[in-house]
Amino acid sequence: MRPLCVIGSLNMDMVISVPRFHAPGESIIGSHFAVFTGGKGGNQAVALGRLGVETIMAGMIGKDANGRAYQKALMAEKVDVSRLLQSDEATGVAFIEVNQKTGDNRIALAPGANMAFSPQAFLTIWESIRHCGFFLMQFEIPDETVLAAAERIHESGSILILDPAPARPFSDELLRLAHYLTPNETELNLLTGMPTVSEEEIMKAAQTLIGRGAHHIIVKLGARGAMLVTEDMSRYVPGFMVSAVDTTAAGDAFNAGLAFALAHGEELIQAVRYANAVGALTTTAMGAQAAMPTQAGVRALLQRQHA
Ligand code: RIB
């Protein structure tokens, strides 16, 4: 099997557990502070590494202690870091509050070096990653880099799984270049301007993206699972029951699970089910990458909870 490549962001996550999300101007006392490696790109790479597949991480870190620590953490997960570039900007940092009761989070991000990952920088490594079979991207690096990379991936005939997160509008050109687009309900609402609360609304909104040239839309619905919409069908794929303590990076883990299953030749609905399981398991411990499951862990959950 050809390696998989993640092109995207790397952040150090500063995480505080809070009893509730506070109001503007209010200070509240939280508990547990911890620092974790995160960033949507790095999270997807670690999830793939933990599933046991050969993974290359392409992105930009700073020449600082956070960058060095991140590189070490990726190597410990057997992720290939030889396409990580270094910038004079600081390694990206995210401040994350996790609600102790629900496991939901709020994130504020200082992207730093991630935004220095320009199309020119990307092109310096492209020839060394073009052999990869699947590419995963997100929106925490510059828009122009995402587009330049998507064009190259398209020309090379490889598969692109694009996570439009954090949400922002983007061109129909990019929509057409992604084989799989994986918004959550909020991102789908932003991309379409349509309501995305009920299943029917989600389906209709996703169908408009198909009408604009998208190929496969997989809407991530958190604990509820996912909605798969293609030109020929719409199908709800239910999620898994787990005790969630921190939902950070569940969406990133979902995308890694999807890529892993598709790369192993799974049929699309089964691949979405697999992705649901990887996403669910990731919510069972604090931190973006701490609870990313192994293949055995995912298999066990799939067997315990038959669809
Ligand atoms: O998707 C979760 C990630 O979003 C966190 O790890 C944080 O770094 C932000 O990029």
Side-chain angles (χ1 to χ4, degrees):
M1 196 174 90
R2 290 192 280 165
L4 282 75
C5 181
V6 180
I7 301 170
S9 59
L10 304 110
N11 300 324
M12 275 300 186
D13 291 351
M14 314 283 154
V15 184
I16 297 186
S17 303
V18 291
R20 62 183 168 79
F21 293 130
H22 52 298
E26 185 192 15
S27 298
I28 55 169
I29 306 286
S31 59
H32 312 297
F33 168 73
V35 181
F36 298 102
T37 45
K40 296 185 192 307
N43 293 342
Q44 295 185 1
V46 167
L48 284 169
R50 201 118 353 127
L51 289 170
V53 72
E54 193 185 341
T55 305
I56 297 172
M57 177 73 216
M60 189 84 90
I61 50 174
K63 296 172 187 157
D64 49 18
N66 279 344
R68 286 189 291 278
Y70 207 126
Q71 205 162 343
K72 234 170 138 184
L74 286 178
M75 285 160 70
E77 299 289 349
K78 300 201 169 46
V79 172
D80 183 340
V81 295
S82 59
R83 278 70 155 199
L84 272 191
L85 302 175
Q86 285 190 332
S87 159
D88 290 331
E89 300 288 330
T91 300
V93 173
F95 285 90
I96 304 183
E97 294 174 0
V98 176
N99 186 312
Q100 283 160 5
K101 292 194 190 83
T102 62
D104 292 330
N105 63 59
R106 278 187 178 183
I107 302 179
L109 194 65
N114 294 303
M115 281 299 157
F117 190 39
S118 63
Q120 294 74 17
F122 166 76
L123 289 175
T124 64
I125 55 167
W126 167 243
E127 288 303 325
S128 71
I129 56 173
R130 63 177 304 150
H131 63 289
C132 293
F134 278 75
F135 287 85
L136 294 84
M137 276 203 288
Q138 331 73 34
F139 279 178
E140 288 181 339
I141 56 173
D143 291 352
E144 314 82 64
T145 308
V146 172
L147 185 59
E151 285 168 349
R152 296 302 182 295
I153 294 164
H154 183 75
E155 283 160 23
S156 74
S158 297
I159 305 289
L160 171 60
I161 300 178
L162 181 62
D163 198 6
R168 58 172 175 261
F170 61 93
S171 68
D172 285 359
E173 186 191 357
L174 183 57
L175 198 68
R176 283 190 288 271
L177 292 172
H179 296 82
Y180 300 93
L181 190 75
T182 60
N184 62 23
E185 301 108 301
T186 315
E187 290 148 4
L188 182 65
N189 167 262
L190 186 128
L191 293 178
T192 61
M194 295 171 70
T196 55
V197 179
S198 69
E199 268 181 34
E200 205 187 328
E201 288 171 347
I202 290 167
M203 216 181 278
K204 276 194 185 143
Q207 276 159 354
T208 66
L209 294 181
I210 298 286
R212 281 163 52 187
H215 305 281
H216 303 93
I217 304 292
I218 302 165
V219 188
K220 296 186 268 195
L221 305 174
R224 287 185 291 148
M227 176 77 75
L228 166 63
V229 178
T230 68
E231 203 173 349
D232 316 315
M233 60 129 167
S234 298
R235 171 88 179 255
Y236 168 64
V237 185
F240 291 85
M241 298 274 289
V242 291
S243 314
V245 298
D246 179 4
T247 59
T248 309
D252 306 330
F254 179 101
N255 280 44
L258 180 70
F260 177 87
L262 290 173
H264 282 82
E266 286 284 358
E267 175 272 328
L268 186 52
I269 293 170
Q270 283 314 315
V272 174
R273 187 163 181 266
Y274 193 92
N276 277 339
V278 178
L281 286 167
T282 302
T283 68
T284 58
M286 287 296 289
Q289 298 169 11
M292 300 271 181
T294 59
Q295 235 187 102
V298 181
R299 246 186 264 125
L301 180 64
L302 288 168
Q303 270 162 19
R304 271 201 311 277
Q305 295 182 30
H306 291 291

